[in-house]
Amino acid sequence: MHESVGIAGRIDRSSPEPYYLQLSRLVETQIDSGQFGPGDRLPSETELCRSFDLARSTVRETLRSLQDRGIVRMVPRRGAFVASPKSSGWLLQVAEGFFEGKVDHEHESVETRVLFSDLRPAPREVGESLGLAAGEKVYELRRERRLDGKMAMYSINYLLPDLKPIVEASEVMQNRGSLNKVLREAGYRVYGARRNVEAVAASEEQAERLGVKRGAPLLLVTSESWGPDERVFDYYTSWLRSDVVKVSVVAKAADG
């Protein structure tokens, strides 16, 4: 056990990145390096507050985020402990996407290829979700993803048209980086989201894209993400091969 070991690093107070995300990354770096192993207790909330000069609410948000991603487990009256490794899966969360979950936290190889990116007339359901006028265009981004060399996902993001220059100037277009991260850095942080998951049979196009037989079972994930003004800025549909990647959904009781 490494209970007395602290977390190395510092908080960059000039960075626009929220403090809790910076602290989360520092904790994960220590875990990745082996400084803390499965079952080890992390420094207490009080120790983290003192070490990084952070409010207790910020430290608690960090630990909640790490727990939601399965990196730590919280034990009442004892603290936070490094969780044991879990089987491969995509944890369907509000603030993170497939790329971040697989690469940043599970260290699996994700290859992304952009298939299409341009303004197009918004499909009716998408336009209604994004609050666009009839006939208004939406920025459409189509990509495919491979997980450890296996075709895993075909996705279409429909974004507000103002986001086109931001995305097209980013790493996303070089088949690197995370779209969620690019949007966050541009000020489009996810404050809420709705995710729907359903089983579907592969159409001819989806079968060809994902390398399966027509009619093969797929998972269809449909999502809306919105900011603090409650306006949806990202609507996406993703078809996943459930034999390559599993989807985990975390459910929490509502307050009150």
Side-chain angles (χ1 to χ4, degrees):
M1 302 288 284
H2 300 150
E3 296 190 26
S4 62
V5 177
I7 302 295
R10 66 181 183 84
I11 299 297
D12 182 358
R13 299 185 185 276
S14 65
S15 171
E17 183 181 31
Y19 293 162
Y20 86 93
L21 289 178
Q22 293 189 49
L23 182 56
S24 295
R25 189 171 62 254
L26 293 175
V27 173
E28 290 177 57
T29 297
Q30 294 288 92
I31 294 173
D32 293 344
S33 69
Q35 192 67 47
F36 293 91
D40 285 344
R41 181 182 180 276
L42 297 177
S44 67
E45 288 183 5
T46 300
E47 290 172 312
L48 291 171
C49 290
R50 184 167 53 245
S51 296
F52 294 95
D53 193 22
L54 293 173
R56 189 171 294 271
S57 60
T58 299
V59 170
R60 286 179 176 170
E61 189 171 6
T62 294
L63 296 176
R64 279 196 299 269
S65 173
L66 292 170
Q67 178 175 243
D68 287 346
R69 298 203 303 272
I71 295 170
V72 307
R73 58 185 179 87
M74 303 300 296
V75 179
R77 295 182 296 280
R78 292 188 60 201
F81 294 78
V82 179
S84 298
K86 296 183 177 181
S87 59
S88 174
W90 176 20
L91 184 61
L92 206 56
Q93 302 181 84
V94 168
E96 292 195 349
F98 179 82
F99 185 96
E100 293 161 298
K102 286 295 175 190
V103 176
D104 294 347
H105 310 313
E106 298 181 25
H107 314 291
E108 297 186 56
S109 171
V110 175
E111 301 170 49
T112 301
R113 185 163 73 98
V114 174
L115 304 173
F116 175 86
S117 66
D118 206 351
L119 295 176
R120 277 189 172 182
R124 183 182 60 80
E125 183 177 352
V126 173
E128 290 176 356
S129 174
L130 295 175
L132 302 177
E136 193 172 349
K137 292 186 176 181
V138 66
Y139 177 52
E140 183 176 313
L141 179 66
R142 295 176 178 247
R143 295 174 295 168
E144 64 181 24
R145 270 84 176 276
R146 291 178 181 271
L147 179 61
D148 289 340
K150 298 179 181 178
M151 185 63 73
M153 178 192 299
Y154 169 57
S155 62
I156 307 175
N157 287 79
Y158 300 96
L159 301 158
L160 292 175
D162 291 348
L163 289 170
K164 178 183 178 183
I166 294 171
V167 176
E168 297 203 339
S170 74
E171 292 185 319
V172 171
M173 303 308 295
Q174 281 73 53
N175 299 322
R176 304 193 309 272
S178 160
L179 177 61
N180 271 24
K181 183 178 179 182
V182 168
L183 296 179
R184 280 200 304 270
E185 291 176 347
Y188 289 83
R189 181 183 174 191
V190 178
Y191 278 72
R194 181 181 298 107
R195 315 283 200 232
N196 295 317
V197 183
E198 61 180 303
V200 297
S203 67
E204 187 171 344
E205 178 188 2
Q206 294 152 9
E208 183 177 354
R209 292 282 188 194
L210 292 169
V212 297
K213 294 181 179 179
R214 181 175 180 177
L218 300 175
L219 289 178
L220 171 61
V221 179
T222 306
S223 168
E224 297 173 300
S225 298
W226 55 85
D229 58 358
E230 298 189 355
R231 183 181 183 186
V232 174
F233 58 83
D234 181 18
Y235 180 108
Y236 75 71
T237 53
S238 294
W239 290 267
L240 292 85
R241 283 183 51 171
S242 57
D243 61 325
V244 176
V245 57
K246 294 179 174 59
V247 173
S248 300
V249 179
V250 173
K252 294 184 178 180
D255 295 334

